[in-house]
Amino acid sequence: VLVSELVSVSTRESLPDGASLRDLGEHALRDLLLPERLYQLCHAELEDDFPPIRSLSAYKHNLPVQLTSFVGRETEVEQIKTHLKSTRLLTLLGPGGTGKTRLSMQAAAEVIESFPDGVWFIELASLTDPDLLAGQVALTLRVQDQAGRTTEQALRDYLRLKELLLIFDNVEHMVRESAELVETLLRSCPKVKIMVTGREALFIGGETTIQIPSLSLPKKNGSINLEEINACESVKLFLERARAALPGFQLSISNGQAVAEIALRLDGIPLALELAAARLRMMSVEQIAARLSDRFRLLTGGQRTALPRQQTLQALIDWSWNLLEEDEKTLFRRLSVFAGGWTLEAAEAVAGYDGLDVFFAMEQLVNKSLILVDRSQNGAVRYRRLESIRQYGRDRLFESGEGETVRAQHAAYYLDFAEEAGPELQGPNSPEWFRHLQLELENLRAAVEWSLENRPGTALRITALLLERENFWIPAKEAENWLRTVIERTRNLVDQEDSGAHRQDFASAMTGLGMTLVRQGLTSATVDVMEEAIRIAQLEGESQTLAWAVAVKFMAGIMNITPAHVDELSEAIEYSQRNGYDRELVTLNVIMGGYFIYLANDHARGLPFIARAIEIANRIKGPQILAIVAEIQGVLKLLAGEVDEAILFLKEARQQFQYYGDHTRANGSLSRIGHLYRRNGKLDAAEEIYRETLPIWQEMVIHTAVAHQLECFAFLAIAKGRQDRAARLLGASNGLRERVGEPRKLPEEVAEYAGAEEQLKAMFNEAELAARMAEGANLDMDSAIAYALEL
């Protein structure tokens, strides 16, 4: 039994009879920062001869004593240990500041018993003359010069029979010389293993490489869940170093968002996190997060004893920049216009406009860990870089004077991309293109942002092509803000001479805004937007945009269609037929059929329109159309009283919507199934579905859907005899609807609410019911949802 010095002091006076402590001296244990004095507990019933302690001091090594704790990296440590069993040369790759040095020392300490002749750490960052490389290794191993023999020959003789591990740390400024020496030692010394850290591989026989990632990060735009945030390696490291700068610092609800933002925006780079944490001596964590846009000024002041390039983030990246060739520097800075990653084809189009050999230069930047290869997206290869490296490149780009030229190339490339993507979004390959759009979202944002200032017609065109119709690939609120900004900033283009193309694009953007409002359930606000879109589209005569604008207008205002509107719908159907606008015809026929069936109560006139929509959809096919057909058939089965068949079609619709990425409509189909279960007495099955769909509506911030699902939970509560709960939930729904200005419109929703209210009026007097409903109405949306989901 071993005890530490602290335990020995606290227990010495209370040891049982016959027990004593034997001083075993100081030992460097692998998981402790500093050497620890250990004591053996001695007693007649315990073994007296304690085996040798497996501490670092029992082995040959020169691993430096660490003054700070080692955080995270369990996966990488295990990876290194596994590879060292089967390879003699292991290279840890990564950009500066990712903690390769510290990781190599930790892993070496954990395998030290496998190397009878020791583990030897060779620091090369401060070595400026490559000719001194062999001498630095010899100095570390205390190998003496021998007359008539080179240092390299002396090293080979010394290591020939040794079984040890050498760590060549920071070889990026002498890669070729390091490769030559390492290869020589491995060929001559069969029991020597070597671990190398640097930005690029040595590219010699037998080398195994591990790309060292940044520390694990919190979720982007995630909720403030302290347990989840605290589980991230990047946050753990920041907190460890924060407590050194500001004793007592703790993660809390109030600072959790700022801590998560720091970890995310610094890409989990250990050095950057440590520099940020040091700023807590004079700033709050919220101030640090707010100033990260100027990170190169903020992240200074590292340890005075550290290498100069490790004292500031700027100096760290300067070190990498200064080692690049001119073509590599040119590409490095030009690639900074990309946001969120890029493809090889995009890089060649944007950065190679003047004949630059992008392929070769990019290969070198990948080799030097300044570009990361991302294969996580369905096997497609994309490239990305850490945000700090991107910002450094952006600063260099504008210093070079070619910033506007490269950004213009970037905008032109993404305009071409939008021209190709627009038609594909309606075709059989649409699921693949929707995923492609999501991958390029940040680049599209950047292209539109720059174009609004410099080429507004380009910004309008990209927006019109990508957001007019199926714009579910982007969060609804962001799509709305994007469209409103572009519409406001390009309105003047509509009034210019020869603005026909701009007018069509503007009408398309307005229609896209209407679609986005419909997605959010904000139908009252949609109709006015669509009236303007139709007016502008009509200036250019019949067009697909005009047909779609009419469809969106009545999609939003379907419950307010009157006989006077039928002529407008009929006209849109006629010119869509004339021009072959099949997709518009599907929607227009569904709307017309729905009007006659639900509002005019004339099934005989309505069903032929629905049948026509199904016939066209089955002819043109495509994932979106097939999903809509399944949804329509589900509604028809419901009208016919065939509930089980209706559920089967709705399940198929949900599957199709999910396949091509329309999670809003997929959730809508699932909600409809829940309603059918509820109305047919399957209350537990309905509740199970609502528990799945309500949080999704919450995440999508679709207020009207949330309000209706709160009502559905109230209907379930009434059926289960929980009237108090039902009254609060109906009140919460009323409060939410009032705040967003969207009353109930669908007949079945109005009828069900009225029925529930009547039931509650029979159970409470007027004042009691009003009080309970007022309690619910005072809940904000998130609190109301939490209440609904309580068991």
Side-chain angles (χ1 to χ4, degrees):
V1 177
L2 295 182
V3 299
S4 68
E5 184 162 26
L6 180 62
V7 173
S8 76
V9 170
S10 61
T11 60
R12 196 174 295 276
E13 300 302 322
S14 57
L15 289 172
D17 292 341
S20 63
L21 296 176
R22 179 183 300 159
D23 189 342
L24 300 179
E26 287 193 343
H27 293 268
L29 300 177
R30 287 182 299 197
D31 295 324
L32 299 181
L33 297 181
L34 299 172
E36 175 75 30
R37 183 168 291 278
L38 300 179
Y39 296 82
Q40 179 184 349
L41 177 63
C42 300
H43 190 272
E45 297 182 16
L46 295 175
E47 291 287 343
D48 188 59
D49 294 329
F50 200 89
I53 297 172
R54 297 178 63 189
S55 66
L56 292 182
S57 52
Y59 300 96
K60 300 174 183 177
H61 72 92
N62 70 334
L63 295 174
V65 172
Q66 299 303 311
L67 302 180
T68 56
S69 58
F70 183 78
V71 176
R73 298 293 196 196
E74 290 88 356
T75 300
E76 287 78 17
V77 168
E78 289 305 314
Q79 235 183 330
I80 292 169
K81 289 163 64 175
T82 299
H83 281 303
L84 283 175
K85 293 176 182 177
S86 57
T87 187
R88 295 183 58 214
L89 173 58
L90 180 63
T91 302
L92 310 187
L93 300 174
T98 49
K100 301 182 296 295
T101 297
R102 187 66 183 274
L103 175 60
S104 69
M105 290 192 287
Q106 179 69 22
E110 296 197 18
V111 297
I112 195 168
E113 63 269 20
S114 300
F115 297 97
D117 295 307
V119 170
W120 305 97
F121 182 81
I122 304 159
E123 168 58 60
L124 300 175
S126 58
L127 194 67
T128 57
D129 185 352
D131 292 338
L132 300 179
L133 176 59
Q136 182 76 4
V137 178
L139 182 64
T140 302
L141 296 174
R142 298 180 183 176
V143 175
Q144 301 296 321
D145 287 338
Q146 300 173 16
R149 297 181 65 77
T150 65
T151 303
E152 189 175 300
Q153 290 171 330
L155 273 175
R156 290 205 308 265
D157 290 344
Y158 176 78
L159 293 172
R160 195 175 305 277
L161 300 178
K162 291 286 193 293
E163 191 171 350
L164 52 70
L165 174 66
L166 299 177
I167 303 173
F168 281 57
D169 187 54
N170 288 310
V171 304
E172 48 262 19
H173 56 309
M174 49 181 67
V175 174
R176 183 176 59 81
E177 294 82 3
S178 297
E180 291 172 352
L181 178 59
V182 166
E183 187 171 42
T184 296
L185 295 179
L186 291 176
R187 287 183 182 279
S188 306
C189 313
K191 294 186 178 181
V192 167
K193 293 190 177 185
I194 298 177
M195 183 156 46
V196 174
T197 74
R199 295 180 311 154
E200 58 185 303
L202 300 185
F203 292 108
I204 60 178
E207 181 181 30
T208 299
T209 61
I210 299 178
Q211 187 73 44
I212 304 304
S214 300
L215 297 173
S216 61
L217 297 168
K219 294 178 182 176
K220 287 185 178 180
N221 305 315
S223 59
I224 304 304
N225 183 318
L226 294 187
E227 186 175 346
E228 288 182 7
I229 293 174
N230 200 31
C232 300
E233 294 174 331
S234 54
V235 172
K236 286 181 179 179
L237 179 65
F238 180 82
L239 294 176
E240 286 272 350
R241 304 304 185 254
R243 292 177 189 122
L246 185 67
F249 181 84
Q250 295 292 330
L251 183 68
S252 65
I253 288 292
S254 61
N255 67 26
Q257 183 66 60
V259 170
E261 184 179 351
I262 289 170
L264 279 166
R265 293 186 63 190
L266 294 180
D267 296 301
I269 301 173
L271 176 64
L273 292 167
E274 292 180 347
L275 293 172
R279 283 297 182 195
L280 283 171
R281 296 188 183 95
M282 62 172 291
M283 301 169 71
S284 70
V285 69
E286 291 79 11
Q287 287 175 312
I288 293 171
R291 288 173 177 259
L292 284 179
S293 56
D294 192 13
R295 65 188 66 190
F296 295 118
R297 289 185 61 194
L298 177 69
L299 302 182
T300 62
Q303 297 176 17
R304 291 190 178 92
T305 55
L307 291 167
R309 65 185 176 88
Q310 294 177 335
Q311 293 183 18
T312 74
L313 189 60
Q314 173 87 40
L316 181 72
I317 305 177
D318 279 340
W319 164 267
S320 295
W321 168 264
N322 291 329
L323 294 173
L324 297 179
E325 301 295 335
E326 282 307 311
D327 278 2
E328 295 166 11
K329 288 181 177 180
T330 299
L331 183 62
F332 180 97
R333 60 178 182 255
R334 289 180 183 177
L335 290 176
S336 67
V337 297
F338 288 102
W342 65 90
T343 63
L344 176 59
E345 294 75 19
E348 289 177 326
V350 172
Y353 63 90
D354 59 352
L356 176 70
D357 188 343
V358 170
F359 182 86
F360 178 77
M362 201 156 93
E363 181 182 33
Q364 299 308 308
L365 294 178
V366 168
N367 290 342
K368 294 171 182 177
S369 300
L370 293 171
I371 293 175
L372 304 176
V373 181
D374 186 353
R375 302 177 188 271
S376 62
Q377 304 296 335
N378 300 314
V381 176
R382 288 179 64 82
Y383 305 89
R384 62 183 177 86
R385 61 195 346 182
L386 300 177
E387 183 60 22
S388 296
I389 293 176
R390 176 177 178 260
Q391 288 196 20
Y392 181 95
R394 183 195 59 187
D395 293 344
R396 292 289 186 174
L397 178 66
F398 286 98
E399 285 174 9
S400 73
E402 59 181 11
E404 291 305 302
T405 301
V406 180
R407 292 201 72 179
Q409 291 291 129
H410 181 269
Y413 176 82
Y414 282 99
L415 174 59
D416 290 343
F417 171 82
E419 295 281 4
E420 184 181 4
E424 292 284 358
L425 297 180
Q426 301 300 313
N429 298 322
S430 56
E432 178 183 340
W433 278 93
F434 286 129
R435 287 190 285 270
H436 201 169
L437 282 173
Q438 289 169 332
L439 291 175
E440 296 291 3
L441 176 56
E442 292 185 51
N443 280 310
L444 290 165
R445 288 180 187 136
V448 169
E449 180 183 352
W450 181 85
S451 298
L452 278 175
E453 296 293 335
N454 300 276
R455 299 179 182 180
T458 294
L460 179 59
R461 182 67 177 155
I462 293 173
T463 301
L465 286 163
L466 300 182
L467 296 181
E468 179 187 26
R469 293 170 183 262
E470 304 287 356
N471 54 33
F472 58 82
W473 55 273
I474 180 174
K477 199 64 188 176
E478 181 181 348
E480 180 188 347
N481 293 338
W482 178 338
L483 285 154
R484 288 191 186 280
T485 300
V486 170
I487 288 168
E488 179 184 347
R489 300 279 291 277
T490 61
R491 189 175 290 277
N492 64 313
L493 296 179
V494 178
D495 301 323
Q496 295 176 6
E497 294 183 12
D498 302 322
S499 62
H502 290 322
R503 275 200 292 267
Q504 285 290 357
D505 287 341
F506 192 85
S508 293
M510 293 288 293
T511 306
L513 177 58
M515 274 297 295
T516 302
L517 295 173
V518 169
R519 280 174 62 200
Q520 297 175 78
L522 304 175
T523 53
S524 299
T526 305
V527 176
D528 290 342
V529 171
M530 297 320 303
E531 291 285 5
E532 182 177 4
I534 291 168
R535 179 182 62 78
I536 294 171
Q538 284 172 334
L539 295 174
E540 297 303 310
E542 293 179 1
S543 68
Q544 209 160 355
T545 296
L546 176 58
W548 184 240
V550 172
V552 174
K553 171 187 172 180
F554 288 109
M555 197 186 305
I558 191 167
M559 299 315 302
N560 297 315
I561 296 177
T562 67
H565 292 129
V566 171
D567 288 343
E568 186 177 355
L569 273 169
S570 297
E571 184 181 346
I573 288 173
E574 286 173 11
Y575 68 70
S576 294
Q577 287 174 333
R578 264 196 314 273
N579 293 289
Y581 303 152
D582 284 340
R583 292 179 179 279
E584 290 71 19
L585 275 173
V586 172
T587 303
L588 288 165
N589 276 286
V590 168
I591 292 169
M592 186 74 96
Y595 161 72
F596 284 117
I597 292 170
Y598 284 103
L599 297 183
N601 198 26
D602 189 342
H603 286 216
R605 290 189 67 183
L607 289 175
F609 286 101
I610 299 297
R612 176 66 174 150
I614 293 174
E615 182 271 321
I616 297 169
N618 282 328
R619 173 164 48 81
I620 64 176
K621 296 187 178 178
Q624 300 101 309
I625 291 295
L626 291 175
I628 292 168
V629 167
E631 191 174 48
I632 294 169
Q633 290 177 319
V635 173
L636 291 177
K637 289 294 183 183
L638 184 59
L639 288 172
E642 299 172 9
V643 175
D644 291 340
E645 289 81 358
I647 288 173
L648 289 176
F649 276 114
L650 288 172
K651 286 181 177 179
E652 181 184 342
R654 183 199 182 204
Q655 186 177 10
Q656 290 286 350
F657 285 130
Q658 284 181 318
Y659 168 66
Y660 77 86
D662 191 344
H663 300 297
T664 303
R665 296 184 75 167
N667 208 46
S669 295
L670 183 59
S671 294
R672 285 190 177 195
I673 295 170
H675 305 334
L676 290 178
Y677 282 146
R678 173 173 54 79
R679 290 164 187 161
N680 287 275
K682 298 179 180 180
L683 303 184
D684 290 341
E687 182 173 348
E688 184 179 348
I689 286 177
Y690 294 149
R691 287 186 175 279
E692 180 178 348
T693 55
L694 179 55
I696 297 174
W697 293 132
Q698 177 186 23
E699 184 179 348
M700 293 178 175
V701 201
I702 299 180
H703 296 90
T704 52
V706 169
H708 183 241
Q709 298 249 289
L710 292 174
E711 293 160 14
C712 292
F713 272 100
F715 303 152
L716 291 174
I718 291 173
K720 295 180 178 182
R722 303 179 67 182
Q723 285 76 23
D724 277 358
R725 178 176 175 79
R728 292 188 183 93
L729 286 167
L730 288 184
S733 173
N734 289 341
L736 181 56
R737 288 186 181 277
E738 185 175 344
R739 288 192 290 274
V740 299
E742 287 291 336
R744 294 170 198 86
K745 294 176 182 175
L746 293 176
E748 61 265 31
E749 291 182 8
V750 173
E752 282 191 312
Y753 178 85
E757 194 173 41
E758 285 301 314
Q759 286 181 278
L760 292 176
K761 284 179 180 177
M763 298 172 185
F764 299 104
N765 63 45
E766 186 175 342
E768 290 173 336
L769 179 58
R772 285 166 174 77
M773 293 185 74
E775 289 176 22
N778 288 329
L779 296 173
D780 60 33
M781 186 174 79
D782 291 345
S783 300
I785 290 170
Y787 180 66
L789 296 175
E790 286 178 3
L791 293 175

